[in-house]
Amino acid sequence: MPTILIKNAEIITMNEKEEVFIGDILIENDRIKAIGKEVSAQGIDKVIDARNRTVIPGFIQTHIHLCQTLFRGKADDLELMDWLKKRIWPLEAAHDEESIYYSALLGIGELIQSGTTSIVDMETVHHTDYAIQAIAESGIRALTGKVMMDKGQEVPERLQEKTSESIQQSVDLLEKWHMYDNGRIQYAFSPRFVVSCTEELLREVGHLSSHYNVNVHTHASENRGEIAIVEHETGMRNIAYLEHIGLANERLILAHCIWLDENEKRIIKEKGVKVSHCPGSNMKLASGIAEIPHLLEQNISVSLGADGAPCNNNLDMFNEMRLAALIQKSVHGPTSMDARTVFKMATIGGAKAMGMAHEIGSIEVGKKADLAILNLQDFHSFPSYGVDPISRIVYSASKSDVETTIINGRVVMENRIIKTMDKHTVLQEANIAIGRLSKRITTLI
Ligand code: GUN
Ligand code: FE
């Protein structure tokens, strides 16, 4: 991999001291080799002149469904259980190998273009190999896994799995892909949510997660109807049940966590469970507003994710950061969620959730080179004089300000051109694929 020198950038490090200064970053292979006011080195292959540019740690989104990107705009204005049963499950059931591949590339293209360098991704029941192939080719960093669903009502036949098969297929994918490309891709067991999974499956996932030392990624306490189903079936609230069956630990990443009682918050805190907050999705699916200031007060790990394209309908971290701040202010007052807190959730907070804070999430010597270079020289983000750079990014900047994205020391986008895929082909194939899926399902969408 070439040696890259980024010169004269405003660097927002997000290191312990949260230092911001103008200087240079030297990247050698996949890592940051040096940072300073002026860095010089020999044998540099590429110099990026970043005068008047801002370099930030790449965003880390801890809840994404790449397999759903093709469904953007196909499932608007519905609540969670209807959204799943009427639209998302039939569409996921209709997926084929090629449609999964292009759905993933479409999503990754959008993520890279908007400065996201790492994701925690949940695929569907079938063809996950093809999504991971797209992840492998695109250069994005991902913790990913096939969704597991061995129970539930109104689930299309094609998504209904036998417990043992779901587990075997997950283990096969793990053994094939976990730690691929020097750890850029990692596997996470991904039971969909308690409503979709038997106790037997969830208990086995707990054992396997401990055996392989990998994460478990699931949805929990997103919607009041979902919680009512769990309570009816188990006699317990959602998080209490997850604890009861042995899943509540520091490897568990829970998307949403909107409706928690005090006991569930205690479990999350004491067991070190990670919460992925998805404000755009939570509002669009009318799920509710998560009590994030309260969770942060208790030192619970909270990070951000856009969720899937059909419940957002973008995968843009700038949008998620803005919403994360504004929704809390509207309920809890102007200081309840400031720009710095949100920016931490979007960067180092995501790294902590992935168990990778020693590798990513900040710009520091020795860490992986996962960065976004922003051009904030425009009407919408001026004036800059005397303005906190983090305020500019969270409240004024937008995805089109991302000029260059580097992941694992590789320039995956430069001057807004994605280098690891052909945009025209991906857009064209995405349309062809969703056309094919729409014909395949009987539900009128
Ligand atoms: N709960 C179970 N499955 C899903 C999903 O695909 N998206 C969201 N937002 N919530 C879920
Ligand atoms: Fe989700």
Side-chain angles (χ1 to χ4, degrees):
M1 209 118 51
T3 300
I4 302 169
L5 183 61
I6 302 172
K7 294 285 298 174
N8 301 313
E10 176 184 52
I11 305 169
I12 301 185
T13 62
M14 295 315 282
N15 63 13
E16 280 281 306
K17 292 193 210 147
E18 295 177 25
E19 285 170 293
V20 178
F21 59 91
I22 306 230
D24 303 345
I25 303 169
L26 179 68
I27 298 169
E28 203 176 88
N29 298 318
D30 56 342
R31 292 189 186 269
I32 296 167
K33 180 80 188 296
I35 309 170
K37 296 248 180 302
E38 189 160 2
V39 175
S40 52
Q42 294 191 330
I44 292 159
D45 300 292
K46 184 179 177 69
V47 176
I48 298 176
D49 178 10
R51 196 174 298 273
N52 290 325
R53 300 291 185 267
T54 300
V55 182
I56 60 170
F59 294 124
I60 298 170
Q61 298 211 36
T62 54
H63 185 60
I64 292 283
H65 301 255
L66 291 176
C67 65
Q68 294 178 2
T69 322
L70 283 190
F71 317 154
R72 193 195 319 267
K74 293 278 190 192
D76 292 338
D77 310 326
L78 289 162
E79 236 195 277
L80 178 69
M81 292 311 295
D82 279 345
W83 179 83
L84 288 170
K85 289 177 180 177
K86 293 186 177 158
R87 304 289 163 87
I88 301 306
W89 287 345
L91 282 162
E92 283 191 16
H95 255 311
D96 54 48
E97 292 165 352
E98 214 178 343
S99 61
I100 287 277
Y101 176 76
Y102 283 108
S103 187
L105 283 185
L106 188 68
I108 297 166
E110 182 186 0
L111 288 160
I112 288 175
Q113 269 206 330
S114 47
T116 290
T117 53
S118 293
I119 55 170
V120 179
D121 169 53
M122 179 182 290
E123 287 304 316
T124 184
V125 170
H126 301 292
H127 314 306
T128 297
D129 235 357
Y130 290 80
I132 308 185
Q133 189 60 44
I135 291 169
E137 289 168 14
S138 70
I140 200 163
R141 189 181 302 285
L143 186 56
T144 183
K146 89 169 218 78
V147 89
M148 305 173 86
M149 300 177 71
D150 69 336
K151 168 171 160 279
Q153 288 169 357
E154 295 173 64
V155 179
E157 212 178 312
R158 200 167 149 62
L159 296 186
Q160 295 174 20
E161 297 185 284
K162 285 211 176 77
T163 310
S164 58
E165 282 172 15
S166 182
I167 290 165
Q168 189 57 50
Q169 286 170 17
S170 299
V171 169
D172 289 347
L173 284 162
L174 182 155
E175 288 186 344
K176 178 166 177 191
W177 290 107
H178 186 57
M179 300 312 282
Y180 175 90
D181 192 15
N182 224 351
R184 178 167 63 81
I185 298 178
Q186 295 183 46
Y187 196 81
F189 288 100
S190 309
R192 186 157 211 140
F193 60 162
V194 170
V195 174
S196 292
C197 299
T198 61
E199 182 168 332
E200 184 193 351
L201 180 131
L202 292 171
R203 283 190 184 275
E204 187 57 21
V205 161
H207 296 143
L208 290 167
S209 146
S210 152
H211 173 76
Y212 288 105
N213 194 24
V214 297
N215 289 94
V216 176
H217 174 209
T218 188
H219 298 95
S221 305
E222 173 178 9
N223 173 287
R224 281 181 280 196
E226 165 213 351
I227 294 169
I229 297 171
V230 175
E231 271 190 310
H232 175 73
E233 289 179 355
T234 69
M236 279 174 252
R237 286 183 62 87
N238 210 333
I239 312 295
Y241 175 70
L242 291 172
E243 185 197 29
H244 171 74
I245 58 170
L247 276 177
N249 58 44
E250 66 291 342
R251 291 186 303 278
L252 182 64
I253 302 172
L254 292 182
H256 308 296
C257 293
I258 300 171
W259 304 102
L260 306 173
D261 69 12
E262 290 309 313
N263 181 47
E264 292 179 300
K265 287 181 200 157
R266 181 192 56 78
I267 294 167
I268 289 176
K269 178 182 164 62
E270 285 181 10
K271 302 286 182 172
V273 173
K274 313 296 194 292
V275 172
S276 178
H277 175 42
C278 308
S281 161
N282 294 346
M283 285 197 278
K284 185 152 183 285
L285 291 173
S287 301
I289 297 177
E291 294 178 89
I292 302 304
H294 191 206
L295 301 185
L296 289 174
E297 254 169 43
Q298 299 185 52
N299 277 328
I300 289 171
S301 157
V302 182
S303 47
L304 292 176
D307 207 343
C311 58
N312 191 301
N313 290 0
N314 293 117
L315 307 179
D316 168 13
M317 189 59 120
F318 289 95
N319 199 32
E320 258 12 77
M321 290 195 298
R322 182 176 175 78
L323 291 175
L326 300 195
I327 56 172
Q328 301 301 339
K329 291 175 192 294
S330 67
V331 181
H332 299 294
T335 58
S336 57
M337 188 61 70
D338 59 48
R340 195 162 290 271
T341 304
V342 170
F343 193 65
K344 272 195 210 165
M345 290 197 284
T347 54
I348 190 71
K352 286 180 183 160
M354 292 175 78
M356 292 188 72
H358 57 296
E359 291 280 49
I360 55 174
S362 60
I363 302 178
E364 294 183 76
V365 171
K367 280 199 172 183
K368 297 277 190 185
D370 288 11
L371 316 166
I373 306 179
L374 314 184
N375 178 359
L376 300 175
Q377 306 292 305
D378 216 334
F379 293 106
H380 67 271
S381 48
F382 254 67
S384 60
Y385 182 83
V387 179
D388 175 3
I390 292 181
S391 161
R392 285 180 88 198
I393 292 164
V394 173
Y395 293 135
S396 332
S398 64
K399 58 187 161 194
S400 54
D401 299 334
V402 181
E403 209 167 59
T404 295
T405 306
I406 298 175
I407 308 175
N408 221 24
R410 179 179 183 196
V411 180
V412 291
M413 179 177 81
E414 191 165 26
N415 296 321
R416 296 204 55 75
I417 307 289
I418 306 239
K419 303 191 149 210
T420 53
M421 65 183 84
D422 179 52
K423 176 175 164 178
H424 179 73
T425 307
V426 174
L427 301 192
Q428 198 171 24
E429 292 296 332
N431 259 348
I432 294 170
I434 187 62
R436 192 164 67 243
L437 303 200
S438 302
K439 283 204 194 86
R440 209 170 269 158
I441 61 173
T442 47
T443 320
L444 190 66
I445 61 169

